[in-house]
Amino acid sequence: MTAIAETAETAGGALAPRPGGGPVQAVRDSLVVAKRNLIRMLRIPEVVIFGLIQPIMFVVLFSYVFGGAIPVPGQHGNDPVVYRNYLMAGIFAQTVTFATAGAGAGIADDMHKGLIDRFRSLPMTRGAVLTGRTLADLVQTALTMLVLSVVALIVGWRIHDGFPKALAAFGLLLLLGYAFSWIGALIGLLVRTPEAATSGGLIWLFPLTFISNAFVPTSGMPAFLRTVADWNPFSATVQACRQLFGNPQGVTSHAWPMEHPVWASLLWSLLILLVFRTLAVRRYRSATA
């Protein structure tokens, strides 16, 4: 109590965090915040359940409603299983990116309730609040992917190029999802309410996911949209996963990301992570200063 009082006095009556303790302190603080958010998720299981329902619905609807009507380059006959193998990489990628809206809403909710102000009074590094939140969302996304993979296997999706490459594909998906969660974090810090964060987090995701190769080959798109789709970071990850899973790729483009999708996916994800983590942490510091 004496130490807390002394800290309060030096901060002019308000508690202030200690100076940063370096990378080790930052990692420790981030893990503590991540644990707090995971416990919170366990206490509200409906959030996890509803997060599972949407991607499962997409799998069922696209597999059985559109599967027999959308041809895939190289497909012989009208076998819907071919399209399901083509589809699943897109559904996986859509699932990890749509988690962005939840990340933004969670941070906006914490800001709205004043929880961030409480974190400011603790001796912790500033960036740990955002890092811990995004790490907790990454764990939830990984669990969602696990359940979704089981559903995909049930409807006929298969891995044809070995388990190690499949793990690499899921690694790229989680990296993309983690990078995009920082976009959600920035949106959550920029808006005033969780509702606005949810809406703002979804508006840009729909064109990103649908102007891509996730659900249909880009060869049928107008030239301009096809160029956008081929250079879309979402498309690069989808194509990389199809390549690593050994699923139908439907490639008729000579754009660099489509010819080198694994490298393109990795570079895009790291670039997005670097840029938006920097912007989100800077915004967080100015919002809580």
Side-chain angles (χ1 to χ4, degrees):
M1 294 295 293
T2 304
I4 295 177
E6 291 176 354
T7 306
E9 290 177 1
T10 57
L15 294 176
R18 290 183 306 210
V24 175
Q25 177 73 22
V27 171
R28 186 185 301 116
D29 293 343
S30 298
L31 292 177
V32 170
V33 176
K35 181 180 178 181
R36 171 255 176 192
N37 282 285
L38 288 173
I39 293 173
R40 183 184 181 187
M41 290 176 186
L42 291 175
R43 291 176 178 173
I44 314 176
E46 55 267 27
V47 174
V48 180
I49 294 172
F50 291 150
L52 286 171
I53 291 176
Q54 178 178 302
I56 291 174
M57 287 178 57
F58 271 105
V59 171
V60 175
L61 288 174
F62 275 87
S63 296
Y64 293 102
V65 177
F66 303 113
I70 301 177
V72 177
Q75 178 180 354
H76 301 288
N78 195 28
D79 186 1
V81 176
V82 176
Y83 178 71
R84 290 170 196 167
N85 279 283
Y86 175 85
L87 168 72
M88 284 314 305
I91 296 293
F92 288 144
Q94 183 190 55
T95 300
V96 300
T97 52
F98 270 46
T100 301
I107 291 174
D109 187 50
D110 287 345
M111 293 286 290
H112 183 68
K113 292 179 178 178
L115 186 63
I116 300 299
D117 291 333
R118 299 179 189 176
F119 283 136
R120 289 179 60 200
S121 67
L122 299 176
M124 62 188 298
T125 54
R126 291 289 179 90
V129 175
L130 299 181
T131 303
R133 174 74 203 199
T134 54
L135 287 175
D137 290 329
L138 181 63
V139 173
Q140 181 180 354
T141 300
L143 293 175
T144 302
M145 294 287 289
L146 179 62
V147 175
L148 189 58
S149 298
V150 175
V151 176
L153 290 171
I154 293 173
V155 301
W157 172 71
R158 294 294 182 268
I159 295 169
H160 301 285
D161 224 1
F163 190 66
K165 287 188 176 181
L167 284 180
F170 283 115
L172 288 176
L173 287 166
L174 292 176
L175 178 60
L176 179 73
Y178 184 66
F180 273 54
S181 68
W182 283 99
I183 301 179
L186 180 61
I187 293 173
L189 292 168
L190 290 173
V191 300
R192 297 182 180 180
T193 64
E195 293 79 10
T198 301
S199 300
L202 289 174
I203 288 175
W204 63 276
L205 283 174
F206 279 104
L208 181 83
T209 54
F210 283 96
I211 306 178
S212 71
N213 60 356
F215 308 114
V216 296
T218 60
S219 55
M221 297 181 181
F224 171 73
L225 283 182
R226 182 178 180 181
T227 301
V228 173
D230 288 341
W231 285 88
N232 185 343
F234 184 84
S235 293
T237 300
V238 171
Q239 198 65 21
C241 290
R242 287 182 182 137
Q243 186 180 98
L244 294 169
F245 288 143
N247 294 157
Q249 298 181 42
V251 177
T252 56
S253 171
H254 296 292
W256 186 85
M258 296 297 99
E259 292 186 340
H260 307 87
V262 175
W263 283 108
S265 173
L266 188 61
L267 292 173
W268 270 121
S269 296
L270 292 176
L271 179 62
I272 293 170
L273 177 59
L274 176 64
V275 171
F276 284 94
R277 187 186 189 283
T278 302
L279 292 175
V281 172
R282 183 178 300 173
R283 173 63 185 178
Y284 173 77
R285 287 174 176 171
S286 64
T288 59

